[in-house]
Amino acid sequence: MAEFPTTARVVIIGGGVVGTSTLYHLAKAGWKDCVLLEKNELTAGSTWHAAGNVPNFAGSWAVMNMQRYSAEMYRTLGEDVGYPMNYHVSGSVRLAHSKERMLEFERVAGMGRYQGLQMDICTPEELLQYNPFMETHDLEGGMWDPLDGDIDPAQLTQALAKGARDAGGRIERFCPVTGMERDGDEWIVKTDKGDIRCEYVVNCAGYYAQRIGEMFRPFGGRTVPMVVMSHQYFLTEPVPELEAWTKENGRKIALLRDVDVSYYLRQEKNGLNLGPYERNCKAHWVTPDDPMPEDFSFQLYPDDLERLEYYIEDAMARLPLLAEAGVGRNINGPIAYAPDGLPMIGPMPGVKNAFEGHSFTFGIAQGGGAGKVLSEWIMHGETELDMWACDPRRYTDYTDHDYCLSKALETYGHEYAMHFPHHEWPAGRNKKLSPVDAKIRELGGQMGAYNGWERANWFAKPGDDTSEDATQTWDRNGPWAPRVKEEVEAVRDGVGVLDLPGFSRFNLSGEGAAEYLSGLIAGALPQTGRMNLAYFPDSRGRVLTEMSVMRHGEDEFTLITAATAQWHDYDVLGRNLPERLSLTDHTTEYSTLIVTGPDARTLFEKIGTRADLSARWLSVQPATVSGIGCALARVSFAGELGWEIHAANADIPALYDAVLGAGAVPFGMYALNSMRIEKGYRAWKGDLSTDYSLLEAGMERFIRFDKPQDFPGKQALLNEKQQGSKKQFVTLVVDAGDQDAPYMAPLFHDGEVVGETTSGDWGYRVGKSVALGMLRKELTVPGTEVEVEIFGQRRRAVVQDDQPLWDPANERIRA
């Protein structure tokens, strides 16, 4: 037996499919000195034994990419590592009971086409060629995915382990981790077998990830936001008709997913496997009287079939063969859920050289891609594709136990739910409230959650339908549409006010702060009393993040960024912060009011503002507004004359009342989104992400190649500038129908996919449907016609001049 390792480069905690996949990818990349510590056996979880390749889309581009990679990897893995595997590609049919679900399938099929995946939209009759035993009389149709299937989890995990060992990785079984210490730049991972010193640690502990996460609390960590859910499925005895059909056709029947009822039903050998995601679901280990056991390996929860009765009855009606089969075995085991149902893959928030890869609701389907992504994070500090949807830093300090539990119950019970663009999920709300939250709701504010902060999406009037049911549509027009139009027109013709709590807000100061910041951004810093946009590239010149930089002195700055970027951008700023500098987070201490429109200056004069209201665009100044001290920043994301009022939380109510009293009309996030798209302003993690370089994103004016400071990605951007970008950011006017272009809708030219949209909305000031997106460079000539696929319909779209659609000369914002 090999001697227990006392040092390693990377220690991976947890021996499920994600942990072994990470070890496999690291070892194959040449990182030999890596160790995986497994508590017991290498396994893909104590109960979860099969999953489809693309089980749950939820509109996540990152997850689709990860699952596509897994499917491609698994096809040859057994042969690659010399370990036979049972991998059955049976294909799957997804059933639609409504036109709304069929539209979702059209959307998913379009996203698949962009990735080179063929998913076909089917009539009810066409579905029978894939699964001839089901009833289809009550269906609108469905979708056929030819790559879906199932795989033996034990074989998959052992194949990954063998490949990792053969490439130089090491696995220590029966070696639970008992603690964590830090010595300088090294981690000390404590186990019953001894200590291991290492550079990097990865938490891949599955449903034990929260317990392992607590070991990192003394080093800047947080309680991992997750909940363990009870998932049941049962296996039937063999079904003679199924066995005969399989022999005759030489394959299994297609996996069936009734996403509207919420279950999957697939062939397991010659029997059936039914797995519901029931609305009356249950979490475990969430109360003091139900503590998590020290070891739950190879154990199950007691059967609780009463929860499944409705789903069993529905499945029997859908596939009558199920009613003829005897129940062979029921399985009820733990499955980890993050609040949004997506995994956590990436840097551990607040902890240096620590990473996470856990909370996989579909671990097998995602495991191959997850190992690739985690190994990229560890080796390079960045990933090939943008993975923000799975980044652990997407959650911040609002994710208390109540939030995690209520969201996990909601997400599990709506595993296959449609994610409509105007729908707000009701669980886990009101975690962070604006100082004027009550006033906003009194005015009719219909709220949405942004990094836990409640903001008004639109303002309803008496008689408007504000029910949750009214938002269950893909269409542009709903009860909100006339109100959003009115809000935009109020900003266009007069003055509006948007209450905007939760801007991420950091102060950076100390001798050399300007030099340090200049080395992180591609462009120049503003002068004292000014502000500008700064873009932070990664090593490839891609858009890592965007921040507004306000300069108060030579080495004194405030940086403001998106609410959702709080922990991500604090990490970007502080990752290599010199000890002489100070970086502090003031997000919860201040709030912001956006006052914008052609009458904004008059409004400020009316309420007794002591400030230079003639100060030019992008100026920042201390001010007194209605007798209250604050800061005024002359900037407007709406594309009109305007200012942002930045003030302490305690002063916001009086300021808001003063602005409203002077005639400002409250407007919401929907109106702001419409106006920013008309101006071509990019949104972070939609239009701006690490999928695109600064040059592709049209941000060359924010790059200073000749500045004395080097910055990440400079050489990559110089190379791209010399060789020319292959694609370019464009604004498109779309001949849309009832829906505007969604995120990541494919763009076509002469029948070929040539790009994708990054966002879209109706422009109320220009009276047109507008999309922003990336297009093959040679097609970006203004006037070029392409097609954008919107829910299965290809709509004409025309490339616009490289300038805003609204106020192209920016005369209004500089008035």
Side-chain angles (χ1 to χ4, degrees):
M1 181 178 292
E3 184 179 346
F4 184 77
T6 58
T7 61
R9 195 170 189 184
V10 181
V11 170
I12 300 167
I13 303 171
V17 65
V18 176
T20 50
S21 177
T22 304
L23 183 68
Y24 173 74
H25 283 88
L26 286 170
K28 282 195 67 177
W31 281 44
K32 309 294 184 185
D33 193 15
C34 302
V35 178
L36 183 149
L37 304 179
E38 170 52 28
K39 195 171 187 178
N40 286 296
E41 299 283 353
L42 293 171
T43 176
S46 62
T47 65
W48 192 253
H49 67 286
N53 295 329
V54 190
N56 187 19
F57 302 97
S60 171
W61 194 247
V63 170
M64 285 192 73
N65 273 303
M66 186 166 60
Q67 292 172 173
R68 175 181 56 82
Y69 176 88
S70 296
E72 293 172 352
M73 173 186 168
Y74 295 163
R75 287 188 203 119
T76 63
L77 179 63
E79 183 179 337
D80 293 342
V81 303
Y83 193 97
M85 288 171 29
N86 290 323
Y87 180 26
H88 305 113
V89 181
S90 61
S92 70
V93 290
R94 289 177 176 243
L95 310 182
H97 295 249
S98 66
K99 292 179 180 179
E100 288 78 17
R101 183 67 78 173
M102 287 298 289
L103 287 175
E104 183 203 45
F105 288 171
E106 293 279 11
R107 161 99 169 106
V108 169
M111 293 175 72
R113 275 189 286 279
Y114 180 83
Q115 294 184 318
L117 301 174
Q118 185 62 38
M119 287 178 268
D120 299 325
I121 304 301
C122 302
T123 65
E125 294 73 26
E126 288 170 338
L127 293 172
L128 291 173
Q129 64 183 302
Y130 306 115
N131 191 321
F133 298 105
M134 66 177 174
E135 296 292 329
T136 61
H137 62 279
D138 58 340
L139 299 176
E140 285 284 334
M143 184 176 70
W144 163 245
D145 175 6
L147 296 180
D148 213 339
D150 60 87
I151 196 167
D152 184 295
Q155 291 176 349
L156 172 62
T157 312
Q158 291 298 334
L160 289 167
K162 182 179 186 300
R165 289 187 181 108
D166 290 347
R170 180 162 178 178
I171 297 173
E172 284 289 331
R173 292 171 54 201
F174 309 108
C175 189
V177 173
T178 59
M180 205 70 55
E181 292 181 358
R182 191 89 171 138
D183 184 12
D185 290 333
E186 288 187 321
W187 288 106
I188 303 174
V189 182
K190 305 188 76 63
T191 80
D192 289 337
K193 295 184 178 182
D195 297 347
I196 308 176
R197 286 180 173 265
C198 61
E199 187 177 355
Y200 302 101
V201 181
V202 191
N203 180 358
C204 291
Y207 53 78
Y208 277 100
Q210 190 175 81
R211 176 170 289 179
I212 294 296
E214 291 299 301
M215 299 179 185
F216 293 90
R217 289 290 297 273
F219 311 103
R222 87 299 185 214
T223 296
V224 172
M226 61 171 284
V227 165
V228 178
M229 298 296 296
S230 157
H231 179 65
Q232 292 188 89
Y233 60 91
F234 71 80
L235 306 172
T236 73
E237 300 289 352
V239 181
E241 294 94 328
L242 199 57
E243 183 176 5
W245 189 93
T246 301
K247 287 181 179 179
E248 180 181 347
N249 292 273
R251 62 180 176 88
K252 292 183 174 184
I253 60 170
L255 187 153
L256 184 156
R257 298 185 195 276
D258 195 324
V259 290
D260 289 313
V261 181
S262 192
Y263 63 80
Y264 62 86
L265 180 62
R266 72 172 184 85
Q267 183 175 344
E268 173 75 16
K269 297 182 179 178
N270 291 314
L272 292 166
N273 172 346
L274 175 66
Y277 292 91
E278 67 275 16
R279 296 288 171 87
N280 56 329
C281 51
K282 183 177 182 179
H284 273 286
W285 308 332
V286 292
T287 58
D289 60 351
D290 181 26
M292 175 180 280
E294 187 62 33
D295 188 355
F296 198 69
S297 301
F298 313 113
Q299 299 180 57
L300 297 172
Y301 303 130
D303 291 350
D304 192 4
L305 285 171
E306 288 186 9
R307 296 205 326 253
L308 307 186
E309 284 183 5
Y310 167 79
Y311 304 92
I312 294 171
E313 291 174 0
D314 188 275
M316 286 179 174
R318 179 66 54 203
L319 198 78
L321 280 182
L322 182 63
E324 301 174 15
V327 175
R329 185 186 180 200
N330 186 70
I331 296 170
N332 184 10
I335 184 169
Y337 261 72
D340 61 4
L342 297 179
M344 294 184 215
I345 314 171
M348 184 181 295
V351 184
K352 185 178 180 180
N353 290 347
F355 298 86
E356 296 183 329
H358 56 75
S359 302
F360 288 83
T361 58
F362 298 98
I364 293 177
Q366 299 164 359
K372 172 183 181 290
V373 170
L374 264 174
S375 65
E376 290 170 348
W377 271 122
I378 296 164
M379 294 186 294
H380 310 302
E382 58 195 27
T383 54
E384 177 187 5
L385 301 173
D386 192 277
M387 292 299 298
W388 174 245
C390 302
D391 195 310
R393 295 169 293 182
R394 71 189 187 272
Y395 294 116
T396 62
D397 56 353
Y398 63 94
T399 56
D400 57 17
H401 178 71
D402 170 73
Y403 175 86
C404 292
L405 177 58
S406 61
K407 292 301 290 185
L409 292 169
E410 179 182 68
T411 301
Y412 181 97
H414 296 84
E415 182 61 59
Y416 294 118
M418 290 177 275
H419 293 259
F420 297 106
H422 295 95
H423 178 242
E424 294 285 340
W425 293 98
R429 298 297 296 274
N430 298 326
K431 289 300 177 181
K432 292 186 175 183
L433 301 180
S434 159
V436 291
D437 180 79
K439 181 71 172 181
I440 295 292
R441 296 174 195 256
E442 179 186 320
L443 293 169
Q446 303 303 301
M447 312 304 285
Y450 299 81
N451 192 34
W453 291 94
E454 295 290 325
R455 295 175 178 173
N457 284 327
W458 62 287
F459 285 84
K461 292 185 176 179
D464 287 344
D465 185 353
T466 59
S467 67
E468 187 178 355
D469 286 346
T471 68
Q472 310 278 318
T473 177
W474 300 109
D475 290 353
R476 173 193 315 114
N477 290 325
W480 54 85
R483 304 298 167 239
V484 174
K485 181 176 184 290
E486 292 168 0
E487 293 168 25
V488 170
E489 290 172 346
V491 172
R492 180 195 66 189
D493 301 332
V495 59
V497 57
L498 173 65
D499 175 52
L500 202 64
F503 259 148
S504 301
R505 190 183 307 262
F506 314 116
N507 285 349
L508 176 68
S509 61
E511 185 178 352
E515 185 71 16
Y516 172 71
L517 193 53
S518 292
L520 295 178
I521 65 175
L525 293 173
Q527 297 176 347
T528 298
R530 304 279 295 164
M531 66 182 293
N532 64 9
L533 279 177
Y535 290 88
F536 294 69
D538 66 10
S539 68
R540 303 159 298 175
R542 300 189 179 191
V543 185
L544 184 61
T545 193
E546 168 198 72
M547 301 189 205
S548 294
V549 180
M550 298 177 175
R551 191 168 193 171
H552 311 298
E554 179 61 28
D555 282 318
E556 187 178 352
F557 301 89
T558 295
L559 298 104
I560 294 180
T561 183
T564 52
Q566 183 182 1
W567 282 9
H568 177 279
D569 283 6
Y570 189 83
D571 187 33
V572 170
L573 290 169
R575 187 180 304 149
N576 298 301
L577 189 74
E579 290 187 5
R580 66 181 184 279
L581 300 185
S582 169
L583 176 67
T584 51
D585 187 333
H586 299 271
T587 300
T588 60
E589 300 169 29
Y590 297 88
S591 194
T592 304
L593 300 177
I594 294 178
V595 181
T596 185
D599 294 342
R601 184 177 284 114
T602 301
L603 180 146
F604 278 110
E605 291 171 345
K606 184 188 296 186
I607 59 177
T609 299
R610 296 176 58 188
D612 180 5
L613 296 175
S614 66
R616 58 197 176 105
W617 175 249
L618 298 181
S619 62
V620 183
Q621 59 182 310
T624 301
V625 176
S626 193
I628 298 168
C630 59
L632 281 183
R634 189 173 169 190
V635 65
S636 171
F637 204 46
E640 302 284 352
L641 171 69
W643 283 263
E644 291 176 356
I645 304 176
H646 297 268
N649 286 331
D651 293 326
I652 290 294
L655 287 165
Y656 192 63
D657 284 344
V659 172
L660 286 178
V665 174
F667 68 99
M669 298 299 291
Y670 290 170
L672 183 65
N673 190 64
S674 170
M675 291 187 282
R676 71 97 183 165
I677 284 181
E678 290 176 313
K679 291 295 292 182
Y681 294 158
R682 282 65 151 171
W684 187 66
K685 291 307 179 188
D687 314 296
L688 300 171
S689 74
T690 55
D691 284 333
Y692 309 119
S693 75
L694 268 69
L695 293 174
E696 290 172 336
M699 295 298 171
E700 185 170 359
R701 66 188 183 277
F702 294 99
I703 304 175
R704 296 291 184 270
F705 287 112
D706 59 350
K707 70 177 185 176
Q709 300 87 1
D710 203 358
F711 58 86
K714 180 177 181 179
Q715 191 57 52
L717 289 168
L718 284 169
N719 292 342
E720 182 182 341
K721 184 174 173 60
Q722 182 180 25
Q723 298 172 15
S725 302
K726 295 181 180 179
K727 53 187 176 181
Q728 190 69 49
F729 186 89
V730 291
T731 299
L732 302 166
V733 169
V734 184
D735 292 344
D738 294 330
Q739 304 95 20
D740 300 304
Y743 169 69
M744 283 295 166
L747 299 172
F748 291 85
H749 187 261
D750 291 338
E752 181 184 1
V753 176
V754 292
E756 71 276 358
T757 60
T758 53
S759 56
D761 206 343
W762 184 263
Y764 289 94
R765 291 177 298 193
V766 300
K768 299 173 183 177
S769 181
V770 185
L772 309 181
M774 285 287 173
L775 189 60
R776 192 182 294 170
K777 184 65 177 289
E778 67 269 19
L779 298 174
T780 59
V781 178
T784 301
E785 293 188 11
V786 295
E787 292 178 307
V788 55
E789 184 171 305
I790 303 178
F791 296 101
Q793 301 294 316
R794 294 193 186 179
R795 298 284 183 171
R796 175 177 173 268
V798 181
V799 177
Q800 303 299 297
D801 290 328
D802 187 17
Q803 60 185 21
L805 289 178
W806 175 252
D807 185 27
N810 290 323
E811 295 173 349
R812 295 172 71 93
I813 62 176
R814 300 178 188 276

